[in-house]
Amino acid sequence: MKDIYILGIESSCDETSVAVVKNGREVLSNVISSQIPIHEKFGGVVPEIASRNHVEAISNVTKKALEEANMKLEQMDAISCTYGPGLVGALLVGVSYAKALSYASNIPLVATNHIEGHIAANYITHKDLKPPFLCLIISGGHTHLVHIKDYKEFEILGKTRDDAIGEAFDKVARVIDLGYPGGPKIDKLAKEGTPNIKLPQTYFENLDFSFSGIKTAVINLHHKTPDINKADLAASFEKAVTDVIINNALKAAESLKINTIALAGGVSANSYIRSRFLELEQTHKMKIYYPEPILCTDNAAMIASAGYYNFINGITSNLELNAIPNLKISEK
Ligand code: KG4
Ligand code: ZN
């Protein structure tokens, strides 16, 4: 079979990234230009600044991605760009750039869902991973428990009713003065603490999530108890949110009789969450997957991989493509 090369373009939030991926699973290049240092001083992503920086970075990042892969644009079989969900101005930079490249070079355009990209990051790290499996997408913008029935067949089993899990990490970190982005900072601090503070967890009849109760409790404790041990607070926060996601993932695994769980999204880089899920291999005979750290947070290799599965399933787009900031996973 002929090899298929996809150029992936990601610009949904604060990373400008372009990648070349072969046959959906082999990364030839994955150039990521992060704006984190630019947004750090504002304590979060400023949409206007993000768009402007994407515009400045995108052509150089693309050039570099093709150079590192040692390939030319004309050798690409398709251009896969993130068209949602995300910040509209940021998304539009990648979408417009991808449309222009596609038009100028007559290469098919593929519109790819960012969340499906996070799922596909697992296909790159784990060449043996095939649907069906459960995927827990835990990122700054999303918390979804999804049944991956096939490469393009998804069923959302549960989602957050309030904050995304990464948002809760970032807000807690901001309040306890750790800075932005909070996830990696809480991860580090929690290692020095003990999860000895009880926090209120919310469980629903179905598989939905809620993290605002845990977040608010941590913030209140911090304000009311000035000498509280921050490391213990961080460790207790991590334990509380992890108990909730493990509970829901196991409930889904039992009812669907699936023993494979993949983690995805920025928060799946968290070392405590990874270790708690890995324990399930022994205690519950589960098979646990998660992407290598660089593929957990936003990157274009995952967009090229998800785009590959769109492309080989005949899902292509045209120049009418627009960004969809609140795009959902297409359920089947
Ligand atoms: O997937 P991502 O790059 O962007 C979205 O699509 O939202 O995720 C970013 C989120 C941020 O909330 C960040 O704090 C969190 O992932 N994050 C982590 C860790 N690394 C990144 N959260 C917990 N522990 C980490 N090690
Ligand atoms: Zn993301």
Side-chain angles (χ1 to χ4, degrees):
M1 231 174 59
K2 180 190 169 296
D3 288 327
I4 293 179
Y5 296 93
I6 309 277
L7 185 79
I9 299 181
E10 158 63 33
S11 72
S12 67
C13 190
D14 57 352
E15 261 95 33
T16 320
S17 180
V18 180
V20 178
V21 172
K22 180 179 169 185
N23 298 329
R25 302 232 180 191
E26 194 185 325
V27 178
L28 303 187
S29 66
N30 185 23
V31 179
I32 305 169
S33 163
S34 177
Q35 303 177 7
I36 287 178
I38 299 166
H39 298 284
E40 218 163 11
K41 53 180 170 293
F42 303 103
V45 179
V46 183
E48 279 291 309
I49 298 178
S51 318
R52 204 178 320 137
N53 280 281
H54 285 307
V55 172
E56 282 172 18
I58 200 151
S59 43
N60 276 335
V61 172
T62 306
K63 201 166 152 240
K64 213 163 153 215
L66 287 165
E67 268 168 22
E68 280 185 20
N70 206 7
M71 295 194 78
K72 299 216 168 344
L73 180 63
E74 302 73 58
Q75 292 172 281
M76 298 297 115
D77 292 280
I79 298 165
S80 163
C81 69
T82 303
Y83 75 116
L87 302 168
V88 67
L91 286 166
L92 274 171
V93 178
V95 167
S96 316
Y97 192 76
K99 288 203 289 194
L101 283 186
S102 163
Y103 180 68
S105 57
N106 212 11
I107 295 170
L109 179 67
V110 174
T112 294
N113 182 312
H114 182 80
I115 304 174
E116 294 179 24
H118 276 300
I119 299 167
N122 277 288
Y123 297 139
I124 298 172
T125 304
H126 308 287
K127 311 292 181 223
D128 61 324
L129 178 65
K130 292 186 179 69
F133 60 92
L134 290 174
C135 188
L136 196 54
I137 301 124
I138 43 178
S139 74
H142 319 282
T143 311
H144 283 71
L145 179 57
V146 182
H147 180 193
I148 317 294
K149 297 176 181 174
D150 204 341
Y151 288 103
K152 286 300 300 171
E153 258 186 65
F154 310 98
E155 185 190 352
I156 298 175
L157 305 171
K159 54 182 182 304
T160 182
R161 294 195 185 178
D162 40 59
D163 290 355
I165 187 167
E167 209 179 331
F169 268 90
D170 293 339
K171 283 185 189 160
V172 163
R174 191 183 317 157
V175 171
I176 65 173
D177 301 321
L178 297 181
Y180 171 85
K185 294 185 170 142
I186 289 191
D187 192 348
K188 195 157 165 247
L189 180 66
K191 289 196 175 112
E192 296 159 26
T194 316
N196 53 10
I197 303 164
K198 182 117 188 63
L199 297 167
Q201 292 160 324
T202 309
Y203 296 97
F204 298 105
E205 278 294 300
N206 67 7
L207 295 169
D208 280 351
F209 305 91
S210 164
F211 302 107
S212 71
I214 301 172
K215 175 198 72 184
T216 308
V218 172
I219 294 173
N220 287 343
L221 272 170
H222 172 72
H223 288 319
K224 289 186 189 142
T225 330
D227 57 349
I228 201 160
N229 182 311
K230 282 190 192 176
D232 290 349
L233 199 55
S236 305
F237 167 76
E238 275 190 348
K239 180 181 180 308
V241 295
T242 308
D243 286 349
V244 172
I245 56 175
I246 286 189
N247 174 80
N248 288 14
L250 281 180
K251 243 165 95 177
E254 274 157 29
S255 76
L256 292 168
K257 309 226 170 330
I258 292 179
N259 69 349
T260 305
I261 303 174
L263 305 178
V267 181
S268 68
N270 183 273
S271 49
Y272 176 80
I273 294 177
R274 286 172 173 232
S275 71
R276 286 281 307 276
F277 270 89
L278 270 188
E279 283 171 13
L280 302 179
E281 298 207 307
Q282 263 69 51
T283 58
H284 289 73
K285 296 202 166 45
M286 292 285 163
K287 188 87 194 77
I288 303 297
Y289 292 89
Y290 40 74
E292 58 213 88
I294 192 70
L295 297 178
C296 286
T297 44
D298 292 348
N299 68 87
M302 70 183 197
I303 301 304
S305 175
Y308 168 82
Y309 291 103
N310 283 332
F311 185 63
I312 62 169
N313 282 290
I315 305 166
T316 55
S317 189
N318 58 38
L319 297 179
E320 315 257 293
L321 178 67
N322 206 346
I324 305 184
N326 59 354
L327 182 69
K328 307 278 181 288
I329 296 180
S330 48
E331 286 193 84
K332 238 203 235 171

